[in-house]
Amino acid sequence: MLQTYNIQVKGLVQGVGFRPFIYKLALRYKLKGSVENRNDGVVIKVNNRTFKHSNNRIIEEFIQTIKEEAPLASNIVSVSYEITDQELFSDFRIIKSTNTSEEITEISPDIAVCDECLEDMQLQENRINYPFINCTNCGPRFTIIKDLPYDREKTTMHPFIMCEKCRKEYSDIMDRRFHAQPVACKNCGPQYELITKNNRIHDPETILQTTCKLLEEGKIIAMKGLGGFHMACDALNEESVKKLRKSKNRDGKPFAVMFADIEKLKEFTQLNSAEELSIKSWRRPIILLHEKKKLAHSVSVGFSTVGAMLPYMPFHYLLFEKLKLPAIVLTSGNISDEPILIDNDDAEKKLLGISNALLIYNRKIYNRTDDSVAFIINNTERLIRRSRAYAPSPVRMNMDVDGIMASGAELVNCFCVGKGNQAILSQHIGDLKNIETLDFYINTIEQFKKLFRVTPNLLVHDMHPDYLSSKHFQGLDGKKISVQHHHAHIASCMAEHHLDEKIIGVALDGVGFGDDNNIWGGEFFVCDLNEYKRITHFDYVPMPGGDMATKEPWRMAVAYLYKYYGREFLKNNFQFLKKRNPNDIEMLLMAIDKNINCPLTSSAGRLFDAVSALINLCTFSTFHAEAPMRLETIADKNIIDSYEFQLNSTIQLNKTFNKIIEDLSKNIHVSVISAKFHNTIINIIFAVASKIRDDYKINKIALSGGSFQNRYISEKVEKLLTQNNFQVYTQCTVPSNDGGIALGQLAIAAKRRSLKCV
Ligand code: ZN
Ligand code: ZN
Ligand code: FE
């Protein structure tokens, strides 16, 4: 007999062309019924095709195909079905959602232009070379959404009235642009404009030609991207890249580079299949790759890697079609630490002066996103910066996080709101100490509350009372709790993997406020989501000058030397101290003696700083984590030797420093010393973890904290632990740096709420 099946698809299935996809699939399978958007996904009702037999083979095939052929940017979490009351359908149709509740599903992140649209850009008369082409499978989403439900009038496409042709496609269920909210063509959609010092160009062809000409001549162009402005120049022209560095007021931090296509990318970088998959994905992140052929020296001064990406906006494709360059620097359009600019007028004021031309378009960016950054370790993508094309996809939790909001940290901030069992992380916000960034933080929190319809009643922030995020949260209404920084790091990793049991937690990190008022950052815990026990940590050492020590790694080197050798070390004539004024050194020692602004720290980041300075590699940092990054980049991968260390109640490094100094005096190359030091850290992690496993009978280990973005360490330590039968958990979908910490804060708060501890 004829049966009616009720199929529920959950996950990210809205705004990604899901209903038209189901419609076409139903036609293919000759099924009659309906598809409808609901709060938590999509509901499909179909009649079985035949009266003759009641088996559900067709339905199961249909479901299988849904999973296999789902639109690229959709994310199906589950498909289930049941046989319901019989309904008879005469055709298959998309029915208008009857859902009026405040509940929503998900907001799609932005999607790189699809192949079909690129083809249309050459064939469709009203879209030839039209750079705002898109369809249900591609185009802007989060960056243009002001409110939900996701409809055109709730986006920044609202001012553009669809022309006849576009409307027809928009209304035609068989069309790829059916209900594609940003649908547009050259007759009705947004347009670019190129502003030079004395001219404003509107003709698309002239804009492209002029842009190419300027770039080829080595000029700098500020151009509006998907989630904010970029600044661009020829990536092989040293003069231009240098000039760009200067005008952006940026010292040593590497620039991202966009390559014309995959062939050019392969000419300049080495990439394995996992890296290729990531860089070509619809998210089009920046992937850190090994450089094969030199770009301009100033692109990534002294680093062997390059942050590479492929075109993702239609305009990028049009540009590279004409441009006679294989690659351009494409860095965020901002001045030093300010958030990336999104507004045309602001860009004209701030960027035109430091570039040769400004390329804008007349559609507003509503939600700011930076390019996301990732790298591949042991064949898995690890995020370093989670923003464009990743945010605001939720992280699914195995617990109720509803109504909780987590503040994140301070330097690399992302916050997080809980809705049901979804943790919705904000896009990368940045360093809150910058006043514009703090504004961005505060505004985005309000935007998220409105967009996702959450009224937080439990607020969780870092234990550090002076973090600007903690301070902001203290001023908000609602119950508040604070959590320890490194517990939150480990909890973030646990949350990603749905772990809620006692595990070994290794947090190697920059700095975070500890229970004993010292600055933690090299911590070994036994913990679950609720509580933690600090088993051991790197031995405390003073951080002379507090935050200053983070910017001036030579201070950390002196602190370690003074700790282990007293004034004796001064006789050693260390290279890294030769340029220091002896008075400065004396002042530092006196500050340590008198304990003036010398908080104690167990930070792994500061230890790396110390070694980086000690071998005279990086004594002053021009950007966050520069010293450890430079130390990593020089490490000789073929060295298997390491240094000694001691495990007492804490991890002691006297012997490590003895041997490093011995190697220095023997003129052993710094690349060897660096490798031996890295291997030492790996051995320490393994030794401590093994001891904890023996003592506590725990086999699961979570690794988190900024230091695990050290590829050398992560690659090797994960393998070593796995080979020795540890179950190793690391961060992939959220960064292991402070950008992922809000997820951990949220998980801890949810756990404590469930235990009625808050
Ligand atoms: Zn498309
Ligand atoms: Zn049109
Ligand atoms: Fe941290």
Side-chain angles (χ1 to χ4, degrees):
M1 63 172 244
L2 189 94
Q3 286 173 320
T4 303
Y5 290 79
N6 187 318
I7 304 167
Q8 300 198 350
V9 187
K10 292 188 177 174
L12 171 57
V13 288
Q14 291 184 17
V16 289
F18 205 80
R19 287 174 308 160
F21 156 70
I22 294 295
Y23 180 87
K24 285 175 216 167
L25 209 59
L27 293 193
R28 195 202 301 172
Y29 279 85
K30 300 191 174 64
L31 293 170
K32 289 173 182 169
S34 65
V35 56
E36 175 187 4
N37 270 341
R38 290 276 179 88
N39 296 342
D40 51 351
V42 159
V43 171
I44 306 159
K45 283 184 191 167
V46 282
N47 289 143
N48 201 356
R49 213 163 64 189
T50 165
F51 287 90
K52 284 185 195 131
H53 43 87
S54 61
N55 74 46
N56 51 15
R57 188 177 51 85
I58 297 290
I59 303 297
E60 283 188 341
E61 263 179 46
F62 176 65
I63 289 173
Q64 192 52 34
T65 317
I66 292 177
K67 290 182 190 162
E68 283 169 9
E69 297 181 14
L72 219 52
S74 67
N75 177 20
I76 297 177
V77 173
S78 67
V79 187
S80 58
Y81 73 87
E82 56 192 12
I83 297 169
T84 58
D85 294 345
Q86 202 179 4
E87 273 181 78
L88 264 187
F89 298 101
S90 56
D91 56 5
F92 193 92
R93 58 181 62 184
I94 296 179
I95 52 178
K96 205 169 166 55
S97 174
T98 48
N99 228 309
T100 52
S101 81
E102 284 284 276
E103 294 297 314
I104 47 101
T105 56
E106 291 182 31
I107 293 178
S108 167
D110 299 85
I111 309 164
V113 60
C114 73
D115 289 345
E116 285 169 292
C117 280
L118 288 175
E119 213 169 277
D120 287 349
M121 200 158 64
Q122 299 182 339
L123 300 172
Q124 281 188 343
E125 181 258 318
N126 57 333
R127 295 201 181 91
I128 302 274
N129 292 345
Y130 179 63
F132 294 91
I133 193 165
N134 67 84
C135 71
T136 47
N137 301 319
C138 76
R141 296 286 187 278
F142 175 55
T143 49
I144 61 165
I145 292 178
K146 292 158 114 175
D147 201 359
L148 288 170
Y150 174 55
D151 273 324
R152 189 165 174 116
E153 59 269 29
K154 302 281 177 63
T155 72
T156 58
M157 278 301 289
H158 179 52
F160 301 96
I161 311 292
M162 269 184 247
C163 72
E164 200 85 340
K165 271 187 181 161
C166 286
R167 177 156 305 278
K168 222 177 135 215
E169 292 167 307
Y170 182 85
S171 322
D172 176 5
I173 192 159
M174 292 308 282
D175 196 280
R176 212 173 75 251
R177 296 193 171 84
F178 175 70
H179 283 189
Q181 305 304 346
V183 70
C185 75
K186 42 169 82 155
N187 302 319
C188 67
Q191 303 289 344
Y192 274 96
E193 178 183 352
L194 185 70
I195 307 171
T196 58
K197 299 266 145 71
N198 42 30
N199 207 356
R200 296 182 90 102
I201 307 171
H202 293 96
D203 173 54
E205 195 50 39
T206 321
I207 288 177
L208 260 183
Q209 276 169 7
T210 316
T211 306
C212 288
K213 188 168 156 274
L214 290 171
L215 286 171
E216 283 157 12
E217 283 170 357
K219 301 289 197 297
I220 295 167
I221 300 191
M223 47 173 85
K224 190 168 179 175
L226 209 49
F229 276 83
H230 281 128
M231 296 191 68
C233 76
D234 179 357
L236 282 109
N237 186 329
E238 175 60 17
E239 280 309 303
S240 311
V241 182
K242 245 195 195 147
K243 213 164 66 195
L244 179 57
R245 242 175 220 293
K246 224 177 133 191
S247 54
K248 270 197 52 151
N249 199 3
R250 182 146 132 175
D251 276 327
K253 197 174 172 186
F255 281 142
V257 174
M258 181 177 276
F259 289 85
D261 50 37
I262 188 79
E263 281 72 39
K264 288 285 179 279
L265 179 77
K266 284 179 173 170
E267 193 183 319
F268 285 88
T269 66
Q270 273 170 28
L271 72 169
N272 62 32
S273 54
E275 286 165 334
E276 184 167 344
L277 206 64
S278 275
I279 206 164
K280 280 160 78 177
S281 85
W282 61 267
R283 300 183 197 267
R284 292 289 201 284
I286 295 171
I287 300 285
L288 302 185
L289 298 172
H290 284 290
E291 201 176 34
K292 188 158 84 184
K293 185 168 150 186
K294 285 304 272 175
L295 294 161
H297 173 76
S298 293
V299 170
S300 40
V301 195
F303 289 98
S304 55
T305 50
V306 53
M309 64 180 142
L310 290 172
Y312 56 85
M313 290 175 87
F315 180 82
H316 299 149
Y317 284 88
L318 294 173
L319 181 71
F320 278 111
E321 211 177 84
K322 282 221 157 47
L323 193 66
K324 295 187 194 80
L325 307 172
I328 55 173
V329 165
L330 205 60
T331 183
S332 45
N334 56 355
I335 312 295
S336 39
D337 283 335
E338 288 179 11
I340 180 170
L341 290 167
I342 55 172
D343 181 76
N344 288 352
D345 294 338
D346 287 347
E348 199 169 333
K349 268 181 235 143
K350 293 187 172 178
L351 300 181
L352 188 55
I354 55 168
S355 54
N356 300 92
L358 176 71
L359 181 71
I360 59 170
Y361 57 77
N362 57 351
R363 182 180 68 208
K364 279 202 160 132
I365 297 171
Y366 193 75
N367 293 299
R368 166 189 284 123
T369 59
D370 289 83
D371 288 318
S372 295
V373 185
F375 61 164
I376 311 295
I377 292 178
N378 297 332
N379 288 320
T380 313
E381 185 180 291
R382 323 285 172 119
L383 278 171
I384 295 172
R385 185 166 73 197
R386 189 177 184 276
S387 198
R388 177 184 52 77
Y390 290 84
S393 296
V395 178
R396 266 158 244 283
M397 311 278 271
N398 59 343
M399 60 205 303
D400 172 25
V401 291
D402 200 59
I404 307 176
M405 183 162 76
S407 74
E410 181 174 84
L411 184 63
V412 186
N413 182 278
C414 265
F415 65 87
C416 189
V417 295
K419 181 151 182 105
N421 63 352
Q422 296 184 355
I424 307 165
L425 271 135
S426 74
Q427 68 271 44
H428 165 81
I429 304 284
D431 183 356
L432 301 185
K433 283 203 279 299
N434 176 284
I435 184 79
E436 281 85 3
T437 311
L438 186 61
D439 279 347
F440 172 35
Y441 176 68
I442 294 167
N443 293 337
T444 311
I445 287 175
E446 292 312 309
Q447 232 152 280
F448 264 54
K449 277 160 55 177
K450 187 176 138 223
L451 201 50
F452 297 102
R453 281 130 166 104
V454 282
T455 313
N457 48 38
L458 179 58
L459 304 168
V460 47
H461 60 79
D462 195 279
M463 238 170 59
H464 199 313
D466 295 333
Y467 271 0
L468 291 166
S469 51
S470 305
K471 283 186 169 164
H472 179 67
F473 267 49
Q474 277 300 330
L476 299 175
D477 289 335
K479 191 180 263 183
K480 284 141 204 142
I481 61 167
S482 68
V483 299
Q484 201 280 323
H485 187 94
H486 302 100
H487 185 212
H489 269 304
I490 300 300
S492 175
C493 184
M494 294 176 74
E496 232 196 280
H497 298 285
H498 294 180
L499 289 173
D500 182 13
E501 60 192 86
K502 290 274 187 248
I503 61 150
I504 303 168
V506 183
L508 300 192
D509 197 29
V511 290
F513 199 69
D515 291 340
D516 55 2
N517 290 351
N518 291 325
I519 297 175
W520 293 9
E523 313 305 316
F524 292 78
F525 293 149
V526 165
C527 64
D528 56 25
L529 288 179
N530 177 40
E531 54 184 14
Y532 61 94
K533 185 174 172 196
R534 191 187 194 198
I535 306 295
T536 188
H537 56 90
F538 285 113
D539 205 8
Y540 280 134
V541 58
M543 223 171 112
D547 273 352
M548 272 287 257
T550 306
K551 299 198 171 86
E552 301 185 3
W554 73 273
R555 288 168 180 260
M556 287 313 301
V558 167
Y560 268 99
L561 293 173
Y562 195 42
K563 176 184 166 76
Y564 291 139
Y565 310 103
R567 296 185 66 86
E568 275 296 298
F569 83 89
L570 291 167
K571 295 181 188 152
N572 208 314
N573 246 338
F574 285 108
Q575 197 68 34
F576 84 101
L577 287 176
K578 286 203 172 129
K579 276 195 218 135
R580 297 275 68 73
N581 186 329
N583 286 337
D584 288 352
I585 301 170
E586 281 306 324
M587 289 279 279
L588 207 73
L589 300 185
M590 198 181 74
I592 295 173
D593 285 341
K594 297 195 170 158
N595 192 17
I596 302 166
N597 196 14
C598 284
L600 293 177
T601 188
S602 54
S603 161
R606 295 299 78 79
L607 168 63
F608 279 74
D609 277 356
V611 174
S612 192
L614 178 61
I615 63 172
N616 203 25
L617 184 70
C618 181
T619 49
F620 285 83
S621 279
T622 62
F623 60 93
H624 176 59
E626 176 174 2
M629 281 167 71
R630 296 213 178 273
L631 191 62
E632 180 198 344
T633 206
I634 61 157
D636 182 341
K637 312 273 176 306
N638 301 313
I639 301 294
I640 49 167
D641 288 350
S642 61
Y643 298 119
E644 289 171 57
F645 57 89
Q646 276 172 303
L647 299 184
N648 298 322
S649 63
T650 59
I651 302 155
Q652 293 181 335
L653 302 163
N654 324 33
K655 293 190 172 177
T656 315
F657 276 82
N658 285 349
K659 293 289 176 188
I660 293 175
I661 293 165
E662 201 179 300
D663 276 356
L664 273 176
S665 68
K666 285 195 241 163
N667 284 323
I668 303 283
H669 198 270
V670 286
S671 61
V672 177
I673 298 179
S674 169
K676 284 167 83 174
F677 171 72
H678 278 86
N679 293 338
T680 309
I681 300 296
I682 292 163
N683 291 346
I684 289 172
I685 297 170
F686 179 62
V688 176
S690 301
K691 173 102 178 40
I692 299 176
R693 174 162 68 180
D694 291 346
D695 292 350
Y696 291 82
K697 311 286 173 245
I698 298 171
N699 201 39
K700 291 185 177 168
I701 181 166
L703 311 174
S704 187
S707 301
F708 284 105
Q709 300 200 321
N710 181 310
R711 193 191 289 223
Y712 186 106
I713 290 194
S714 282
E715 250 167 33
K716 294 199 177 189
V717 84
E718 286 174 19
K719 280 186 186 149
L720 180 66
L721 290 166
T722 309
Q723 277 159 10
N724 286 278
N725 300 318
F726 280 96
Q727 266 176 280
V728 185
Y729 297 90
T730 54
Q731 304 235 251
C732 307
T733 55
V734 306
S736 73
N737 61 32
D738 284 5
I741 215 165
L743 180 67
Q745 295 172 332
L746 197 81
I748 292 169
K751 180 68 187 178
R752 290 186 185 161
R753 182 173 67 180
S754 76
L755 295 172
K756 309 223 179 325
C757 301
V758 291

